[in-house]
Structure formats: C-alpha cells, structure tokens
Amino acid sequence: MTITPPEIAYAPKDAERLDHFMARAAAAYYAARDPFQDFATSPEISQAFGECLGLWAAVTWQAMGRPDPVLLVECGPGRGSLMADALRAIAEMMPAFRAALQVHLVETSPRLREAQAAKLGDAGVTWHEDVAALPEAPMILLANEFLDALPIRQFIRRGSVWHERFVLDGAFVEVPSDASLPEDAPHGAVQEVNEAALRFAGWLGARLKRHGGAALLIDYGPAESAFGDSLQAMRAGQPVDPLSAPGEVDITAHVDFAAFANAARAAGAVAHGPLPQGVFLQRLGFMTRAAMLARLDPARAQAQLAAAHRLTAPEAMGRLFKALALCDSSLPIPAGFETA
Ligand code: SAH
C-alpha cells in the first residue's frame, strides 16, 4: 500500500489570497494614479451617457411617488462626469426632482474625491467611504464600472479538488480549498467569487426593501454565470499581466450579474435584466440625444457620433457591457427594461 502525504491545506508564507492582493492593488492604484489614462469609461466617452442615466433616475423618482428628500447615490464616481451630466439633464427636464434630491458619492480614493469636488462644484455633495454610512432614506443609486473594481477570489479545479489561487512573487500558487463550489466542474475550470459585490448586493436588496427606491448597475460581464478566468489589467489602453505591477495597473474582473441579482433578490429586491448596454441606451433615447449633440456642435459632430457608436455597437461596448436594475417590489418595471 502506498501512503499519500497529506495535502498542504495552507498557503506558503507571504502568499496573498487573490482578493486581498486585488484590494491592496486597487486601493494603491486609485489613490495614486489617474485611472483615465489607462482606460476610457462610458461617461468619459459621451456626455449623453450621464444625461440618459439622469433622466432614468428622474422617471424612476416619479414612479416612486416623488419622495422628498431622496438620495441620488453614485458608487465609484471616478471624475464625477456621470453625476455632472445627470444633474444637468435632471435640472433641465425635472426641476422638482433636482430640488428634492441629495447627492451622495461613495468613493474611497481621496484623489478622485478632489476631482469629483472640482467637477460638481456647488451641487451639495456628501462623500462616504462605504454605502453603510448612507443616511436612511429612499434612494436611487447609480454605478458604472464600480463592481468590476471590487476584489475577487479565484478557485481552480484540479482533478476532483478545488484549489484557491494565491499570489506569490507575481505568480499564482494554488492551495487546496474546502469552499463549497460545484462538484461537477471539469478539470481546469476557474470559478470566480466576488464576495464584496455579493455583500453589496445583499445590502442593496435589504436597503431598497426597507426605504424604497432603485439601483442601476452598469458593468461588463456575461448575463449568465460561467466558469472562466476574467482577471485583467490595463495600462495606457493595453492589456498587461494583472499580477505584475500591483498598484500601477488597473486590475478588474468581469461581473457575475446572475449571482449579483440573486443575492439582491434574496435580500428583498426585484431584479430586471441584465440587458446589453446598447439595447438599454437605445431604449432611453441615447441615439437621439447623441444626434442632437452632433447637430449642436458641427465641429465635433463626427466625434459625437463615433462616441455613440462605441457605447452601443455590439462589437464595441454595446454587448459586453450590461445594465441591471434592482427595485423595491412596489415599483413598476423601470424605464428601458420593459421586455427584458
Ligand atoms: N464610474 C466611473 C469610474 C469607474 S473606476 C466611470 O465610469 O468613469 C472605479 C471607481 O470606483 C473609482 O472612482 C474608484 O476610486 C472607485 N472605487 C473602487 N473601489 C472602491 C470601493 N471599494 N469603494 C468605493 N469606491 C471604490
């Protein structure tokens, strides 16, 4: 009889669990660098994006019975462009909503808070480190490319055993894990778990149930949960090794929308979507607004139309990016999600 040595069920000294590595890398990155040199987000590409989301919030506020006050919350607001564009559109189209709303931004990076303060001027903004600090009131929450920045754990199937991935000296090491994960996974399958996103979904579901309101989350990832390694990093618009230079590159992962929606549902919210971003934006009248912007400024007309194409075309950001809405159960189907 052969005696197999016991498997080492702990990580080597100095190895860091992937989510801990990613949290540390993301915090250092957003604190020290201008992320918008490394990648372009929808609000930075077209002002019509934030304007349409602002009008989505305004229509949602009406459906909520026009609560006053109401919180307009954004998680991970970056340079503040989405909120600035949204507030401008809201002030023009529905001044009563502008008067009733209080702007709350959830942002951990002091450097990006400064950029947001400069952009939003006298909009009356309150900042928070964490959603848990938001006041108890009805709310409408927006988040674009926020969930993809939250840290993930990764597990890889080796034979009939799941192993967890740790990071050591810029490379993965694998440690046998007793996490409860699907037993029918093939050898080599990678399962990602975003515990921070799932906690946020649980908080959001309970919060919408308690005080009413809705959330709109836009990010990239598949509509259905799937195995796969989606960890990625960008530097100056180019993909780079996510483990190579922590804090110097933007490190993200695809969002598991199905898992996120399930966690929010379990906590009491109703989920709509996810829908491809292109479909969602077109239903909100995004193309009409983009065409109007092109007419208003002939010198930038081509750029406006190219930006609109980039956000909506399936081969660009229109299909990989998805929109997911969460609502309290008293609300009708939110704008754009009608046949989702
Ligand atoms: N929504 C913006 C920025 C996306 S970048 C846009 O579309 O342009 C991700 C944003 O989330 C940054 O503002 C970053 O500082 C913030 N962020 C990342 N992790 C966070 C966390 N755990 N809590 C709060 N904000 C976070």
Side-chain angles (χ1 to χ4, degrees):
M1 146 184 177
T2 56
I3 298 175
T4 38
E7 285 187 289
I8 303 169
Y10 50 83
K13 191 172 164 301
D14 297 331
E16 205 174 7
R17 216 169 75 180
L18 177 59
D19 57 336
H20 299 163
F21 170 87
M22 194 172 163
R24 200 168 53 78
Y29 175 76
Y30 286 111
R33 301 180 73 94
D34 179 357
F36 300 96
Q37 301 190 336
D38 292 320
F39 59 93
T41 57
S42 299
E44 302 301 328
I45 295 170
S46 171
Q47 71 179 73
F49 182 81
E51 291 169 348
C52 284
L53 267 51
L55 297 183
W56 183 90
V59 173
T60 302
W61 178 68
Q62 283 193 310
M64 287 164 66
R66 302 164 73 99
D68 181 358
V70 61
L71 311 183
L72 182 61
V73 180
E74 187 181 353
C75 291
R79 281 181 173 161
S81 306
L82 191 167
M83 186 55 82
D85 294 335
L87 290 175
R88 196 180 55 251
I90 291 167
E92 194 156 314
M93 303 297 284
M94 214 181 282
F97 177 40
R98 182 65 190 89
L101 70 82
Q102 301 172 350
V103 180
H104 289 264
L105 301 181
V106 180
E107 174 62 69
T108 42
S109 156
R111 189 188 160 119
L112 286 175
R113 282 189 187 197
E114 272 176 36
Q116 293 150 20
K119 185 72 138 251
L120 294 166
D122 53 4
V125 178
T126 310
W127 279 270
H128 306 276
E129 280 285 311
D130 190 276
V131 287
L134 289 166
E136 300 280 327
M139 75 169 184
I140 299 172
L141 181 147
L142 306 173
N144 183 64
E145 291 212 46
F146 170 66
L147 301 177
D148 66 20
L150 300 180
I152 58 160
R153 295 173 73 175
Q154 267 190 351
F155 300 86
I156 186 159
R157 189 78 165 166
R158 295 295 182 203
S160 60
V161 180
W162 282 106
H163 288 58
E164 179 153 18
R165 283 178 149 177
F166 287 66
V167 182
L168 183 64
D169 297 333
F172 281 126
V173 289
E174 299 173 2
V175 178
S177 165
D178 58 5
S180 78
L181 293 166
E183 279 308 318
D184 55 354
H187 177 75
V190 173
Q191 172 80 56
E192 297 182 335
V193 180
N194 192 332
E195 289 175 342
L198 296 176
R199 267 197 307 277
F200 174 52
W203 172 86
L204 198 47
R207 174 59 195 258
L208 293 174
K209 183 176 174 183
R210 194 159 71 245
H211 291 294
L216 179 62
L217 302 137
I218 301 185
D219 229 302
Y220 57 102
E224 305 289 339
S225 302
F227 293 126
D229 174 359
S230 76
L231 193 70
Q232 63 176 65
M234 299 284 277
R235 186 178 217 162
Q238 297 299 318
V240 290
D241 174 3
L243 306 185
S244 62
E248 290 174 33
V249 299
D250 174 59
I251 174 167
T252 60
H254 282 193
V255 174
D256 184 344
F257 282 99
F260 189 86
N262 281 340
R265 264 192 215 104
V270 180
H272 302 273
L275 275 183
Q277 165 168 292
V279 173
F280 176 67
L281 288 178
Q282 291 190 26
R283 288 182 182 171
L284 293 187
F286 174 83
M287 294 314 259
T288 311
R289 177 61 184 151
M292 189 187 295
L293 290 169
R295 267 202 307 281
L296 288 171
D297 183 0
R300 293 201 60 245
Q302 281 310 319
Q304 292 283 8
L305 295 175
H309 179 81
R310 188 165 168 198
L311 264 53
T312 52
E315 71 278 13
M317 295 167 80
R319 182 155 51 207
L320 176 59
F321 280 72
K322 308 281 189 310
L324 174 75
L326 302 174
C327 297
D328 79 70
S329 60
S330 75
L331 291 186
I333 295 173
F337 289 89
E338 289 80 8
T339 59

